[in-house]
Amino acid sequence: MDETGSPHDPHWPRAGHWLRTADVSHSGGALALLGVPAHEASLSASGAHLTPAAVREALLRYSLYAASSDTDLTSVEVTDLGDVSDPDGPGGEDRIARAAADAAARFTCILGIGGDNSVTYPLMLGVSGGDLSGWGLVTLDAHHDVRDGRSNGSPVRLLVEAGLPGEHIVQVGIADFCNSPFYAARARSLGITTVPRSALRTHTAQQVVTDALEIAGRGGRPVYVDLDVDVCDRAYAPGCPASAPGGISADELRHLARLLACDSRVRAIDITEVDAVADSEDGRTVRLAALLVLEAAAGLATR
């Protein structure tokens, strides 16, 4: 029996072992996974610091084979860089940024596993080398994240203040009754393009991704992608404190994540706002986060 209680089968390799056998001393490669267990900046009490470890464990439940595209992820070189230590607070932001900068210098794509959404700011700052002026951002999120202060509700505002051009930011999945008029107006004033959740009912995932990357990556600029899992319907993501009924489905989020990862302009992706402590008994939110890791890797494999 293996760690999941299932019979061991040498012909059914598990995704968790794909990470565990990674050589963390490797000088570089295709994909690096970096855990960022921050939670103290969350606007609501959160156990998101336990999520990176929970996602790694959940990967043991899945294989490395994507049947729909006949993709075997054993061909994707992945390195698990472990977790950033003490990632909360100003000192923590610096440590996250340094770890992200080091990873970006060595790997084709960085996959950050949060933690709350506050990690998006230092991760993107680090991946960009501190110069955000030539980058673009795509968020899949129910919220604008342009609040005052310094929290999981403010990373997009902080990035703009640090030099990210608002006209190269696209926010997909913005939900009704999850934002205020004041912050919606702020997002517009910053030049941010908003794709509301309602638009996803009439546009294909491919259309949405193509349009978002055209704006965020115009001119060939590199793009950072923030996957805030609270963009999902609460039925699929009960472990996200701010998820609401009526969000997108788990399948939609997985599909969008893979399509985004297919594009060579995407240099980094984060998965945030999953609270492993608040998840349902069946662990569906953490399992979804683990599948997003695999979808990102499957997209990368097609480049």
Side-chain angles (χ1 to χ4, degrees), residues 1-2 5 28 86 124 158 246 271 274 281:
M1 305 291 281
D2 63 17
D86 299 320
M124 187 174 185
L158 292 172
I271 301 168
V274 175
E281 186 175 350

Side-chain angles (χ1 to χ4, degrees), residues 198-256:
S198 59
L200 299 179
R201 302 185 185 115
T202 56
H203 293 69
T204 67
Q206 186 63 69
Q207 285 176 311
V208 170
V209 167
T210 297
D211 292 347
L213 289 175
E214 170 59 27
I215 295 168
R218 186 168 295 144
R221 60 179 53 224
V223 175
Y224 184 102
V225 173
D226 166 35
L227 303 177
D228 181 335
V229 182
D230 73 21
V231 73
C232 277
D233 189 294
R234 192 159 184 81
Y236 304 100
C240 294
S243 62
I248 70 175
S249 71
D251 179 66
E252 286 175 292
L253 180 57
R254 288 177 58 182
H255 189 34
L256 289 164

Side-chain angles (χ1 to χ4, degrees), residues 58-295:
L59 282 167
L60 287 165
R61 297 183 174 276
Y62 299 107
S63 79
L64 292 166
Y65 179 62
S68 63
S69 57
D70 193 26
T71 302
D72 184 355
L73 294 186
T74 57
S75 65
V76 178
E77 185 180 8
V78 61
T79 300
D80 187 349
L81 299 175
D83 291 352
V84 176
S85 62
D86 299 320
D88 286 296
E93 285 187 351
D94 291 341
R95 285 186 286 274
I96 295 169
R98 287 196 300 270
D102 174 72
R106 298 187 290 135
F107 295 90
T108 301
C109 188
I110 311 306
L111 187 57
I113 309 299
D116 64 47
N117 215 164
S118 68
V119 307
T120 298
Y121 169 66
L123 279 172
M124 187 174 185
L125 196 64
V127 169
S128 69
D131 182 4
L132 294 162
S133 61
W135 279 70
L137 170 66
V138 177
T139 74
L140 272 62
D141 198 336
H143 311 93
H144 288 296
D145 287 348
V146 294
R147 285 176 179 256
D148 291 336
R150 210 172 193 93
S151 70
N152 62 334
S154 63
V156 175
R157 192 204 87 240
L158 292 172
L159 287 166
V160 172
E161 291 177 355
L164 179 64
E167 62 269 24
H168 291 289
I169 299 173
V170 182
Q171 299 191 307
V172 178
I174 298 298
D176 290 345
F177 312 115
C178 291
N179 297 276
S180 73
F182 180 88
Y183 289 122
R186 174 176 286 178
R188 287 192 296 270
S189 72
L190 293 174
I192 294 172
T193 299
T194 296
V195 182
R197 191 273 175 266
S198 59
L200 299 179
R201 302 185 185 115
T202 56
H203 293 69
T204 67
Q206 186 63 69
Q207 285 176 311
V208 170
V209 167
T210 297
D211 292 347
L213 289 175
E214 170 59 27
I215 295 168
R218 186 168 295 144
R221 60 179 53 224
V223 175
Y224 184 102
V225 173
D226 166 35
L227 303 177
D228 181 335
V229 182
D230 73 21
V231 73
C232 277
D233 189 294
R234 192 159 184 81
Y236 304 100
C240 294
S243 62
I248 70 175
S249 71
D251 179 66
E252 286 175 292
L253 180 57
R254 288 177 58 182
H255 189 34
L256 289 164
R258 189 187 298 197
L259 290 173
L260 286 161
C262 286
D263 196 286
S264 61
R265 289 170 291 186
V266 174
R267 291 292 317 282
I269 301 170
D270 70 36
I271 301 168
T272 65
E273 287 300 307
V274 175
D275 180 348
V277 177
D279 204 1
S280 57
E281 186 175 350
D282 63 9
R284 70 188 65 177
T285 320
V286 169
R287 293 191 192 192
L288 173 56
L291 285 164
L292 291 174
V293 172
L294 298 178
E295 296 291 0

Side-chain angles (χ1 to χ4, degrees), residues 4-24:
T4 65
S6 302
H8 174 68
D9 185 344
H11 302 297
W12 208 98
R14 296 183 179 275
H17 298 150
W18 173 62
L19 291 180
R20 289 182 179 183
T21 58
D23 180 2
V24 297

